[in-house]
Structure formats: structure tokens, C-alpha cells
């Protein structure tokens, strides 16, 4: 039985998997989108989203936690400086996985994982949300346009 086995081991030993995910996370932070297999993209999403959440509060403790997992000073600096400012008002869901089809060589399912706030294509056509309009239940109907009467001119007299 597979009780409690949520983590995809990706066919690698622990050290290799952690190093690979750290390198992929640094590439994602640097380039804002990367192409990889669907399984690695899903594992990377679980790896990188808690670190983006930690970067929203720039404390020494959070920087040390993220640094211990990413292991690249430049990536940590960019995460806390640029990425955190862009995702500050987003309550999670910082990455998007888009399936691309199969790879030619081995027919593996490929996907593109990207940071949501850095995609201008998807965000360009989104209009800001308007406030919702509430219906008037049982209330009066809106008044019709007022009838304006004009005065007769002297010609009719």
C-alpha cells in the first residue's frame, strides 16, 4: 500500500533530486519560464512555491531558509528583490504549468512551467475586474426617462 507517499522521487536518489530541483528552481527564478517534463514541472511547483511565499517577508530567517534550499546567492537575491515585489498581493499559485506535447526522442510528456505574473501574453488581455452588480430583489424598477414638455412658440397663437 502507498499510504503517505505523496512525493514523486523522479527515479533519483535524495541528494540528486534535491540538487536537480534546486538548479531548476534557480533557472525558473532567473529566466521566469523553463521547459521540462510534466513530472519534473509538478515536483518543481511543490518545491518552489513555498520559497516564493517565504520571499514575501524579507527577514534574515526566511533568507537563510531559502538559501539552504536554493544554494545560489544570485537567485536568492533576485527572488527576494524582484519576484517577491511582483507577487506580493497574490495569495499563492505563483506558477503555471502548460503542457506542450511529447518530446521527439523518447516521447516524454513535456511542459512549460512559468511564473504567473511575468507572462505578458496571458495577463495582457485580462481586464481589471469590475465590481459586481447586485440585483434589486422585489424593489422598484428603474424610473423611465422623464418626459420633457416644450413650450409652444408664438406661431401657434
Amino acid at each position: 500500500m502507498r499510504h503517505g507517499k505523496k512525493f514523486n522521487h523522479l527515479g533519483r536518489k535524495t541528494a540528486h533530486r534535491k540538487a536537480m530541483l534546486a538548479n531548476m528552481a534557480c533557472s525558473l527564478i532567473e529566466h521566469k519560464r523553463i521547459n521540462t517534463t510534466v513530472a519534473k514541472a509538478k515536483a518543481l511547483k511543490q518545491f518552489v512555491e513555498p520559497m516564493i511565499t517565504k520571499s514575501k517577508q524579507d527577514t534574515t530567517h526566511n533568507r537563510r531558509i531559502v538559501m539552504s534550499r536554493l544554494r545560489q546567492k544570485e537567485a536568492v537575491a533576485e527572488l527576494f528583490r524582484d519576484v517577491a515585489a511582483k507577487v506580493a498581493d497574490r495569495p499563492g499559485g505563483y506558477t503555471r504549468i502548460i503542457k506542450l506535447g511529447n518530446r521527439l526522442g523518447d516521447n516524454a510528456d513535456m511542459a512549460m512551467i512559468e511564473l504567473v505574473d511575468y507572462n505578458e501574453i496571458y495577463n495582457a488581455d485580462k481586464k481589471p475586474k469590475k465590481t459586481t452588480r447586485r440585483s434589486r430583489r422585489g424593489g422598484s424598477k428603474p424610473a423611465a426617462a422623464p418626459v420633457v414638455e416644450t413650450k409652444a412658440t408664438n406661431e401657434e397663437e
Side-chain angles (χ1 to χ4, degrees):
M1 290 191 277
R2 59 168 304 278
H3 295 304
K5 293 188 179 181
K6 294 187 209 176
F7 195 77
N8 188 353
H9 295 290
L10 300 172
R12 289 160 172 81
K13 304 277 185 184
T14 304
H16 185 188
R17 186 175 58 249
K18 286 182 179 178
M20 182 186 66
L21 289 173
N23 287 332
M24 289 173 66
C26 292
S27 296
L28 180 65
I29 291 166
E30 180 184 351
H31 299 292
K32 310 307 185 242
R33 77 173 50 137
I34 58 173
N35 291 337
T36 184
T37 62
V38 173
K40 287 180 190 173
K42 289 179 180 179
L44 180 61
K45 184 173 191 158
Q46 289 180 342
F47 182 83
V48 80
E49 289 209 0
M51 287 190 284
I52 296 174
T53 302
K54 287 191 185 317
S55 73
K56 290 162 79 173
Q57 291 181 345
D58 191 3
T59 63
T60 305
H61 183 62
N62 284 345
R63 276 187 182 263
R64 286 180 176 165
I65 290 172
V66 172
M67 183 65 191
S68 71
R69 299 195 70 190
L70 285 185
R71 305 184 200 127
Q72 287 186 19
K73 190 190 298 186
E74 297 82 16
V76 173
E78 185 169 354
L79 176 66
F80 277 84
R81 184 183 54 233
D82 301 333
V83 177
K86 243 185 167 173
V87 299
D89 57 338
R90 181 177 293 275
Y94 311 111
T95 58
R96 175 187 295 131
I97 296 175
I98 301 171
K99 294 185 180 178
L100 300 175
N102 295 340
R103 188 162 50 195
L104 285 178
D106 58 356
N107 209 30
D109 288 335
M110 296 299 289
M112 176 177 64
I113 182 168
E114 64 184 0
L115 296 175
V116 171
D117 290 317
Y118 284 92
N119 189 334
E120 292 81 22
I121 297 168
Y122 279 100
N123 296 338
D125 59 348
K126 302 277 187 202
K127 295 176 182 145
K129 283 188 170 181
K130 295 181 180 178
T131 57
T132 57
R133 304 181 107 188
R134 305 286 180 212
S135 64
R136 296 184 215 168
R137 295 185 179 206
S140 63
K141 294 182 180 177
V147 178
V148 179
E149 297 182 21
T150 57
K151 290 186 178 181
T153 58
N154 290 340
E155 297 172 12
E156 293 178 1
E157 291 178 17

